[in-house]
């Protein structure tokens, strides 16, 4: 009885038991409701294949798709003072930071990296809206300045991917001070003669919009991104009027001269490469890879050696044939 209970029954149960399905295999599009398989969604850079809705994408995933071969090097950022105001609302500020770090796996709301796109070297920074709404704090100011200084040191363009709900209230006036700090950093780029390109993603609001997000040499936005200082709901409640359809969305701002381009996420790498090479007076990017010249030369030398050996063998055979006939 013990043998049946301890061995046979568990074996049968293991063969016919129902396997649990992971929870993250499917994602529902918030716009059209289509269920999207996780690999299909990742391959399309978190853009719905049914309605083209641009979902949230982390800075690390964005950089993996943006940089050549998904290869990039993170730029080190000086750490700011932790909880300078000893802020506490429903939670202590350090507790909120730990919760955000645990849920995202990132240290802060911005990632700075260097690498190449279309063989064009750049330095880029991207905000993560899933980390405390991508809010602008002292770390972001340090990261922005570190990225700009690295771009000036390497003489590379600087690209900023913005996504934020505004300044971080837990840091008070110190977070607002990042607005002039980032503005001064942009002036440093201009003095160095280096391009500064901004890609506005959904959503970009508050103090971020009022500072570095709208100071680019070229302003690009993803489709249907919300870009504003005060949100449409606040404006409607203030002026007590209904706002136009699509107000403060990327396409509306493009029509009213606030943006240069609205570009699909999957086309962004090619467009950025073209713009950067034009601004840098460089030739068009290489569209395809050709075999290395050294390998071609080695192959031709091998073919020539083989052909010479064949000719030598055939000549030796032709010389030996008359001698064999005479001997016969």
């Amino acid at each position: 009885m013990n043998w049946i209970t301890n061995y046979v029954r568990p074996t049968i149960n293991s063969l016919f038991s129902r396997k649990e399905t992971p929870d993250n295999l499917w994602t529902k599009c918030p716009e059209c409701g289509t269920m999207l398989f996780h690999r299909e969604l990742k391959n399309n850079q978190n853009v719905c294949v049914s309605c083209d809705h641009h979902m949230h994408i982390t800075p690390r995933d964005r950089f993996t798709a943006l940089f050549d071969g998904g290869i990039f090097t993170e730029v080190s950022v000086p750490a700011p003072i932790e909880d300078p105001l000893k802020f506490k609302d429903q939670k202590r500020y350090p507790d909120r930071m730990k919760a955000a770090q645990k849920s995202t796996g990132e240290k802060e709301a911005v990632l700075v990296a260097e690498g190449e796109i279309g063989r064009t070297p750049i330095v880029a920074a991207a905000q993560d809206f899933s980390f405390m709404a991508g809010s602008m704090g002292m770390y972001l100011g340090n990261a922005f300045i570190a990225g700009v200084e690295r771009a000036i040191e390497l003489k590379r363009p600087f690209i900023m991917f913005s996504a934020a709900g505004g300044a971080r209230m837990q840091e008070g006036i110190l977070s607002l001070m990042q607005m002039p700090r980032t503005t001064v950093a942009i002036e440093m780029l201009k003095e160095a003669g280096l391009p500064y390109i901004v890609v506005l993603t959904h959503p970009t609001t508050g103090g971020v919009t009022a500072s570095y997000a709208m100071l680019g040499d070229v302003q690009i936005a993803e489709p249907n991104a919300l870009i504003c200082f005060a949100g449409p709901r606040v404006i409607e409640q203030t002026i007590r009027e209904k706002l136009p359809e699509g107000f403060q969305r990327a396409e509306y701002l493009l029509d009213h001269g606030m943006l240069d381009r609205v570009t699909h996420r999957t086309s962004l790498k090619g467009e950025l490469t073209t713009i950067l090479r034009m601004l840098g007076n460089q030739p068009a990017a290489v569209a395809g890879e050709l075999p290395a010249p050294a390998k071609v030369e080695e192959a031709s030398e091998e073919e020539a050696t083989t052909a010479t050996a064949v000719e030598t063998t055939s000549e030796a055979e032709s010389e030996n044939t008359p001698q064999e006939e005479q001997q016969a």
Side-chain angles (χ1 to χ4, degrees), residues 236 239-245:
E236 285 184 341
I239 65 175
R240 301 182 184 280
E241 290 184 13
K242 187 68 177 176
L243 296 174
E245 184 70 23

Side-chain angles (χ1 to χ4, degrees), residues 40 46 75 119 199 215 221 247 268:
E40 182 183 30
N46 281 21
V75 176
R119 293 188 175 181
V199 180
L215 295 176
F247 184 69
L268 200 54

Side-chain angles (χ1 to χ4, degrees), residues 4-326:
I4 295 175
T5 304
N6 296 334
Y7 180 75
V8 175
R9 186 175 295 171
T11 304
I12 294 174
N13 290 338
S14 65
L15 292 173
F16 294 97
S17 61
R18 183 177 178 181
K19 295 182 179 180
E20 295 183 0
T21 304
D23 296 332
N24 58 350
L25 287 181
W26 297 89
T27 301
K28 185 177 180 180
C29 174
E31 191 70 20
C32 67
T34 302
M35 296 300 294
L36 305 166
F37 190 55
H38 70 108
R39 290 178 185 171
E40 182 183 30
L41 188 61
K42 185 177 181 180
N43 292 337
N44 206 38
Q45 299 183 40
N46 281 21
V47 178
C48 178
V49 296
S50 179
C51 67
D52 261 354
H53 174 68
H54 285 52
M55 302 182 196
H56 167 73
I57 184 171
T58 64
R60 203 167 293 276
D61 289 342
R62 182 184 290 277
F63 285 166
T64 301
L66 180 71
F67 287 107
D68 294 344
I71 301 171
F72 60 89
T73 304
E74 292 187 39
V75 176
S76 60
V77 178
I81 302 172
E82 294 183 4
D83 195 13
L85 304 180
K86 306 301 178 186
F87 192 92
K88 182 180 180 181
D89 49 284
Q90 294 178 344
K91 285 184 180 180
R92 294 171 58 249
Y93 181 32
D95 294 338
R96 288 194 180 277
M97 286 290 294
K98 290 177 183 177
Q101 290 168 352
K102 184 178 180 180
S103 63
T104 62
E106 298 292 346
K107 183 180 179 181
E108 252 284 358
V110 62
L111 182 66
V112 187
E114 59 180 87
E116 293 186 349
I117 58 170
R119 293 188 175 181
T120 308
I122 66 161
V123 178
Q127 292 177 260
D128 188 355
F129 191 78
S130 61
F131 193 108
M132 295 185 68
S135 50
M136 176 179 61
M138 291 187 295
Y139 185 91
L140 188 141
N142 290 353
F144 192 94
I145 293 172
V148 168
E149 289 177 344
R150 185 63 176 165
I152 294 173
E153 178 187 350
L154 300 176
K155 293 181 170 44
R156 296 182 178 184
F158 184 66
I159 301 177
M160 183 68 198
F161 295 86
S162 65
R168 186 170 294 178
M169 69 174 187
Q170 289 87 351
E171 295 183 11
I173 190 65
L174 297 173
S175 65
L176 296 176
M177 285 301 298
Q178 308 316 307
M179 296 170 66
R181 288 186 73 202
T182 53
T183 303
V184 171
I186 294 169
E187 288 299 319
M188 292 166 55
L189 276 174
K190 290 185 178 180
E191 290 176 3
L194 297 171
Y196 171 53
I197 298 176
V198 181
V199 180
L200 300 110
T201 69
H202 177 78
T204 299
T205 63
V208 173
T209 308
S211 55
Y212 58 86
M214 298 302 290
L215 295 176
D217 298 313
V218 180
Q219 297 285 134
I220 303 174
E222 290 185 342
N224 202 38
L226 177 66
I227 305 164
C228 61
F229 181 76
R233 184 179 60 182
V234 175
I235 296 174
E236 285 184 341
Q237 290 175 352
T238 303
I239 65 175
R240 301 182 184 280
E241 290 184 13
K242 187 68 177 176
L243 296 174
E245 184 70 23
F247 184 69
Q248 295 180 321
R249 295 289 175 170
E251 292 76 10
Y252 184 92
L253 296 181
L254 178 65
D255 293 339
H256 290 77
M258 295 292 290
L259 298 175
D260 297 306
R261 303 281 288 175
V262 173
T263 305
H264 195 281
R265 187 178 292 164
T266 56
S267 305
L268 200 54
K269 179 177 179 177
E271 185 148 319
L272 284 172
T273 303
T274 302
I275 292 172
L276 289 171
R277 297 186 78 86
M278 288 176 63
L279 293 176
N281 293 322
Q282 296 176 326
V286 177
E289 295 290 340
L290 296 176
K295 293 181 180 179
V296 175
E297 291 176 1
E298 290 174 3
S300 61
E301 288 177 2
E302 290 177 1
E303 291 176 359
T305 304
T306 305
T308 304
V310 171
E311 290 177 359
T312 304
T313 304
S314 60
E315 288 177 359
E317 290 176 354
S318 61
E319 290 176 358
N320 292 334
T321 302
Q323 296 176 2
E324 293 174 355
E325 291 178 353
Q326 290 177 2

